[in-house]
């Protein structure tokens, strides 16, 4: 038997509250003319008016109920026919019938009435076994403490007009939430009183505004049915929902946007008028609008000359963040082509799969772009008139196991960009930090809105990765005014900056792509004191963003609202029949309006499935697969996903694509991947059935093979071998049951490892403190001390937050740098590893190692390499003094330093000292070491020569006795921290020792 209707929960009272037994009544009359007509048509079809009204009641309840197959409670007259005097007895002869109603199938109204009538007649044949007894039997086998059927239809009572009319009534039944009572007053002298409809509703059970609209819907649907022709009863019943009728798919396009609008045109126009204004700043150079346009025109000229016949083609851009990457994007569009961004961090196999599916005409990478920019013959003299209407194609994870390409037009993207610019006054005074990758559509705003109005785009150094300390430095150095990211990246910045940094120039924070922690906006306001906080949402298919919510200082709701649609767009919540849902009723979030994508590249079937027409085929909408609902002010509240898709750090991930990759491995018969959100922030777990059960991969083997095809975020954290998959009642794999089973296994595993830390007493208190922070931020209480954090649902974003908390909250880490802890957590991603690193840094004397041979590192905490073979008096003095200070000191040549660093892999801190002309070679070797994950903590350049154009170093350096020209060149070449010192030869040792001590 199905359960009771599940009505919207907002405002639902607890089991016991102060007003448990207080009811309020809704009442309305249907006039005699309409009621007579309903009775006549019911007679024509051979059904009772009670069945007609139950049918309407069931349809109305189903519009607000999340389950369309439910049970209604029908009190029925059950006067026994025993003896001759039963009719003269006064008493309650009411019994309860539990009526099963199935509104899952679409059918005509009269078919629905006849189906309900048939079911009711079958029930009445067994009325000696009452509904109360049914509930008692069900409660014996149910996990529910108390089974309720609180939605009641009391039936149609008949009055005798010669006696009088009902003027007032009420009913109080604690286990009833809504009691619908119908009284036939057809014999009344008042023509407005044909049918009296009353709903008695328990206060606190359901939000009053919800019941008010349900009652209005019920009475209005009855009234309209009374004025319809009998033939219209053969159509599905149209339920009147007042709030839904106001939310039709209607929107207005932003002014100034036409089918000829192109997203790069405003940049071109501004660059021609303001060629000297700074446009883009990257890790290596700063370029003006004129210089950026010139580079873009070279690239456009190359494309027009070499591929002019393929005017509708896609051009792939496979480049790191840089000025030239932005120039490539602009050049492709100026040439009249469309761009396809490729994320170079993804596995090569996945990149190639996307390129093959997109059928690109050419691929632009750093090497090719550099070649183009050096060829004068490619300079474009005149911008072509023909422009492909498609601006870009961005590939996202696909439900078929293959990535799918979202095709976005210029006008669609422009519609969104103009909305945000107008709402928040984006202007040439603004500077944005471009955190989003080119393959993530947040970058479209960073590039085309900011550069379109004459602002400045600052690009983080791609080699530094998600380093919040680097972002923080750029925010203040370039007086950034706009922040645009997923919430997790903002969390990272907060974790780094919360105790010591602030960014007063930031005036606008745009957060989108994932859930926003309700405490995050308040925390960001403390470090961005002048910033307005905006929540944005939507889908790549909807043109970057489609909905916004301005986050108040105090948000009283348990979640940050999704909000209302942007200008030029429509955002709604629809049910399975694509009808707009009433307020508080959950359904699928849909997007309409002028920012919709054209569809999916080369996939018309999927396009027709996800982009559908509604309201008599006039309006096109995109079905997002997100679950949401309207709240009372018309805002939408996001409730999660409806399908088998998940979001990790703003990126949509289709479970099917992961399963498809696993099935492609040898000996795999089948697999099922679940996203278990009960473990921390959510982890992917793969359940695998092998063809030969005795042969299986280890977790490390699974992860290694999948890394060729899937990006890190899509590789499961756990791999569990199963003999069979549990099935649900409908015969499908029971994913929920699988998730619960792994939860039990993790608890057992956690308990078995709980004593492990006692074996390492040296770090016990420190490790416990770190564990509290890790569990708090990850939300996973089952991470143990030796567990690999990266394989248990944590990524660099979460590790950044953890690093920030360690520095601010743990006494032993006071004085250490945020990025230092982050590097340690990425290279030693266990709680014990981080604890050991911090302990070693604070207690270096515990880790000294001595060797009689003299060529082993004597101090495992610090080693200093003296770089270069040339004779130098200062160098000899330094070696003597460093060695006397018990610091391992080694003279190394060019290639020798690579070998020595590998030998000293266990040494915690490594330094290099280089003199004059050896500086560039030293930097080159240090960069090679960094590529092998060997970090040089600091390089000392003594009286260095000028840096070469090719010199680029990501680490920290100290320059001693450098001239102004050399210092300036090295400041440009080095992306880390640069310190400058002046000395005489006697001071150099003291400077170096102070720097070594500071780094501790």
């Amino acid at each position: 038997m199905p359960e009771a209707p599940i009505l919207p929960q907002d405002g639902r009272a607890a089991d016991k509250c102060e007003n448990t037994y207080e009811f309020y009544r809704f009442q309305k009359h249907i006039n005699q003319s309409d009621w007579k007509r309903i009775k006549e048509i019911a007679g024509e079809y051979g059904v009772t008016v009670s069945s007609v009204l139950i049918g309407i009641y069931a349809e109305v309840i189903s519009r607000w109920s999340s389950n369309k197959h439910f049970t209604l409670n029908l009190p029925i007259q059950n006067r026994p026919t025993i003896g001759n005097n039963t009719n003269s007895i006064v008493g309650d002869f009411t019994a309860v019938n539990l009526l099963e109603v199935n509104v899952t199938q679409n059918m005509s109204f009269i078919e629905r009435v006849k189906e309900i009538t048939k079911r009711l007649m079958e029930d009445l044949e067994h009325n000696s076994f009452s509904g109360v007894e049914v509930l008692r039997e069900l409660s014996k086998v149910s996990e529910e403490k108390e089974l309720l059927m609180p939605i009641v239809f009391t039936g149609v009572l008949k009055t005798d007009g010669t006696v009088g009319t009902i003027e007032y009534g009420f009913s109080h039944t604690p286990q009833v939430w809504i009691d619908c009572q119908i009284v036939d007053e057809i014999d009344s002298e008042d023509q407005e009183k044909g049918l009296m409809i009353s709903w008695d509703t328990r206060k606190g059970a359901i939000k009053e505004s919800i019941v008010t609209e349900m009652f209005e819907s019920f009475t209005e649907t009855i009234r309209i049915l009374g004025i319809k022709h009998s033939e219209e009863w053969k159509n599905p019943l149209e339920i009147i929902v007042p709030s839904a009728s106001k939310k039709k798919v209607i929107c207005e396009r932003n002014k100034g946007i036409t089918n000829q609008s192109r997203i790069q045109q405003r940049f071109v126009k501004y660059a021609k008028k303001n060629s000297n204004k700074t446009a883009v700043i990257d890790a290596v150079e700063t370029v003006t609008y004129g210089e950026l346009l010139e580079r873009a025109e070279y690239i456009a000229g190359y494309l027009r000359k070499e591929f002019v016949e393929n005017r509708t083609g896609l051009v792939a851009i496979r480049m790191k963040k840089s000025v030239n990457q932005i120039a490539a994007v602009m050049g492709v569009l100026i040439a009249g082509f469309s761009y396809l961004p490729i994320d170079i961090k993804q596995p090569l196999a996945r990149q190639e799969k996307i390129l093959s599916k997109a059928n690109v005409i050419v691929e632009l990478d750093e090497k090719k772009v550099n070649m183009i920019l050096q060829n004068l013959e490619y300079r474009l003299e005149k911008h072509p008139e023909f422009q492909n209407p498609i601006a870009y194609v961005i590939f996202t994870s696909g439900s078929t196991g293959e990535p799918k390409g979202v095709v976005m037009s210029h006008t669609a993207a422009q519609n969104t960009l103009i909305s945000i610019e107008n709402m928040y006054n984006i202007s040439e005074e603004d500077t944005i930090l471009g955190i989003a990758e080119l393959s993530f559509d947040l970058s479209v705003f960073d590039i085309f809105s900011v550069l379109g109005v004459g602002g400045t785009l600052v690009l983080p150094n791609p080699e530094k990765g998600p380093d919040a300390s680097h972002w923080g430095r750029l925010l203040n150095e370039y007086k950034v005014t706009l922040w645009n990211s997923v919430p997790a990246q903002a969390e990272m910045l907060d974790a780094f900056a919360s105790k010591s940094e602030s960014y007063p120039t930031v005036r606008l924070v745009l957060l989108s792509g994932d859930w926003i922690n309700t405490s995050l906006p308040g925390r960001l306001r403390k470090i961005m004191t002048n910033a307005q906080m905006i929540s944005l949402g939507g889908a790549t298919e909807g043109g970057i963003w489609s909905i916004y919510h301005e986050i108040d200082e105090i948000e009283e709701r348990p979640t940050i609202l999704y909000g209302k649609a942007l200008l030029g767009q429509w955002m709604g919540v629809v049910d399975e029949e694509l009808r707009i849902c009433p307020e508080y009723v959950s359904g699928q979030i849909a997007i309409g309006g002028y920012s919709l994508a054209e569809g999916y590249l080369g996939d018309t079937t999927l396009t027709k499935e996800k982009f559908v027409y509604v309201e008599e085929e006039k309006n096109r909408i995109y079905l997002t697969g997100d679950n949401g609902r309207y709240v009372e002010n018309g805002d939408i509240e996001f409730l999660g996903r409806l399908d088998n898709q998940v979001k990790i750090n703003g990126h949509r991930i289709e479970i099917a694509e992961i399963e498809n990759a696993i099935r492609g491995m040898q000996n795999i018969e089948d697999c099922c991947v679940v996203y278990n959100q009960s473990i921390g922030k959510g982890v992917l777990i793969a359940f695998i059935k092998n063809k030969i059960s005795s042969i299986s991969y280890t977790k490390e083997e699974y992860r290694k093979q999948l890394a060729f095809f899937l990006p890190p975020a899509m590789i499961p954290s756990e791999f569990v071998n199963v003999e069979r998959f549990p099935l649900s009642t409908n015969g499908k794999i029971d994913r929920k049951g699988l998730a619960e089973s792994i939860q039990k296994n993790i608890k057992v595993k956690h308990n078995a490892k709980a004593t492990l830390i006692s074996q390492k007493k040296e770090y016990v208190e420190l490790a416990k403190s770190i564990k509290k922070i890790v569990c708090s931020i990850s939300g996973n209480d089952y991470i143990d001390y030796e567990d690999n954090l990266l394989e248990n649902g944590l990524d660099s974003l979460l590790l950044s937050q953890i690093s920030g908390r360690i520095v601010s909250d743990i006494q032993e880490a006071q004085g250490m740098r945020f990025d230092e802890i982050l590097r340690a957590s990425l290279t030693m991603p266990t709680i014990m590893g981080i604890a050991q690193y911090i302990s070693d840094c604070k207690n270096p004397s515990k880790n000294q190692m001595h060797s009689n041979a003299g060529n082993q590192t004597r101090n495992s905490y610090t080693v200093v390499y003296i770089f270069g073979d040339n004779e130098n008096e200062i160098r000899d003095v330094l070696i003597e003094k460093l060695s006397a200070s018990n610091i391992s000191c080694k003279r190394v040549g060019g290639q020798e330093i690579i070998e020595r660093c590998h030998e000293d892999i266990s040494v915690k801190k490594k330094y290099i000292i280089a003199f004059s002309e050896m500086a560039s070679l030293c930097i080159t070797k240090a960069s090679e070491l960094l590529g092998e994950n060997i970090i040089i903590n600091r390089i000392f350049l003594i009286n260095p020569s000028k840096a070469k154009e090719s010199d680029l170093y990501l680490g920290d350096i100290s320059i001693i006795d450098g001239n102004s020209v050399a210092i300036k060149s090295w400041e440009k070449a080095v992306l880390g921290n640069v310190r400058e010192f002046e000395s005489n030869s006697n001071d150099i040792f003291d400077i170096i020792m102070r720097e070594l001590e500071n780094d501790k």
Side-chain angles (χ1 to χ4, degrees), residues 119 127 133 253 271 277 286 338 613 642 646 655 669 775 834 845 929:
R119 181 74 210 188
N127 64 356
E133 291 172 293
R253 180 181 287 183
K277 172 84 163 45
T286 298
S338 312
Y613 286 88
L642 289 169
V646 299
I655 296 293
E669 182 176 322
C775 293
I834 299 169
S845 60
L929 288 166

Side-chain angles (χ1 to χ4, degrees), residues 371-386:
M371 180 274 292
I372 294 169
L373 296 179
Q374 293 171 12
N375 195 330
L376 297 178
E377 67 180 60
Y378 286 136
R379 179 69 185 270
L380 187 71
E381 298 298 331
K382 182 180 178 183
H383 291 201
E385 294 183 5
F386 172 81

Side-chain angles (χ1 to χ4, degrees), residues 314-331:
L314 271 174
V315 177
I317 299 177
R318 186 150 54 168
M319 302 172 67
K320 295 184 292 187
K321 275 185 180 296
S322 64
V323 168
N324 284 349
Q325 184 199 58
I326 307 302
V329 171
M330 292 296 187

